Amino acid sequence: MIRVLLIALCAAAAHADCSVDKTQDGQLVKLPGDAAVYLVLDGCRRHVPNPPTFNSLFKTWDCIQETTLSGLICTCDAVTNGAILVKTASSPAVYLLSNLKKRHIANPATFNAFCFDWPKIQTMNELTLSFIPTGSAIKI
């Protein structure tokens, strides 16, 4: 019991100097002098694990903003290595597949605000997509 409490206290302390800020959702950020790139989603920085994953989701590396303020946004689960954008042949709905979930991208304005790249959307079989658990929608 004490060990669980200590772990919880350490986790809370690790986030004491950061904030969850959903107004920053959609930004791609990095700290000056650091190669790590983060997607701000659900008010959290989510590490984009590598260039192939970045390139499978986003338009261009020019979308990344270098700022010291990104260090103040809490860090959450990273974007999954190999995350992709998908849709089915019969529906215009587009999803981000990451962290074992599909998350509907609510509208074109949100898609564009996140700097996602339309030509990178992959078409997936409807049955296959239906078996992937659904996460919360992504919306600005």
Side-chain angles (χ1 to χ4, degrees):
M1 180 68 168
I2 292 175
R3 182 179 174 160
V4 171
L5 180 59
L6 287 175
I7 291 170
L9 288 173
C10 287
H15 292 290
D17 295 330
C18 67
S19 65
V20 173
D21 183 1
K22 289 192 172 202
T23 65
Q24 303 299 313
D25 276 9
Q27 292 187 21
L28 289 163
V29 295
K30 69 186 246 27
L31 292 167
D34 189 351
V37 175
Y38 298 89
L39 169 65
V40 181
L41 176 60
D42 304 322
C44 297
R45 284 185 303 151
R46 297 176 184 276
H47 182 242
V48 180
N50 51 49
T53 300
F54 184 94
N55 291 330
S56 73
L57 298 172
F58 304 105
K59 287 181 191 173
T60 174
W61 290 81
D62 292 336
C63 294
I64 301 167
Q65 300 174 34
E66 189 171 288
T67 174
T68 56
L69 296 177
S70 68
L72 301 176
I73 303 169
C74 291
T75 303
C76 295
D77 293 338
V79 173
T80 302
N81 180 24
I84 57 173
L85 300 167
V86 299
K87 64 179 281 319
T88 65
S90 64
S91 172
V94 178
Y95 299 88
L96 170 64
L97 257 54
S98 181
N99 304 92
L100 304 175
K101 293 180 185 172
K102 66 178 182 270
R103 296 188 61 184
H104 179 239
I105 301 169
N107 52 52
T110 297
F111 190 96
N112 292 328
F114 274 75
C115 208
F116 290 133
D117 194 2
W118 292 101
K120 294 178 182 168
I121 299 169
Q122 300 179 32
T123 301
M124 181 177 275
N125 176 287
E126 291 176 40
L127 185 60
T128 303
L129 188 61
S130 72
F131 280 105
I132 299 171
T134 302
S136 60
I138 299 171
K139 184 175 182 182
I140 299 262

